[in-house]
Amino acid sequence: MNPIVAAASVIAAGLAVGLAAIGPGMGQGTAAGYAVEGIARQPEAEGKIRGALLLSFAFMESLTIYGLVVALALLFANPFAG
């Protein structure tokens, strides 16, 4: 494999994971803050708020996993090495 392609693949994999984690991390923090605020306002709605929060966490975390899949593809099944 060309050393430049290998180096670029490693850098791209790091950027893919890093950038894919920034958005969901900020989103999870914001969602958790608003969920706590909503539960403080209406304690009787805790079950519904918690359910919606956990579902949204799962969707946000899937974006990070997509970034990890792209990084693993660049490292181990590199389409540019050939």
Side-chain angles (χ1 to χ4, degrees):
M1 180 188 306
N2 187 352
I4 294 175
V5 173
S9 297
V10 170
I11 292 171
L15 285 173
V17 172
L19 293 176
I22 289 174
M26 291 173 50
Q28 286 177 357
T30 304
Y34 283 124
V36 169
E37 184 180 328
I39 292 171
R41 283 190 202 167
Q42 292 182 326
E44 66 274 0
E46 177 192 1
K48 289 184 178 181
I49 293 173
R50 187 175 11 154
L53 179 68
L54 291 176
L55 183 63
S56 66
F57 277 174
F59 287 135
M60 285 185 252
E61 201 62 36
S62 70
L63 297 174
T64 306
I65 293 171
Y66 290 147
L68 178 65
V69 168
V70 167
L72 290 175
L74 283 172
L75 290 177
F76 298 112
N78 196 340
F80 302 110

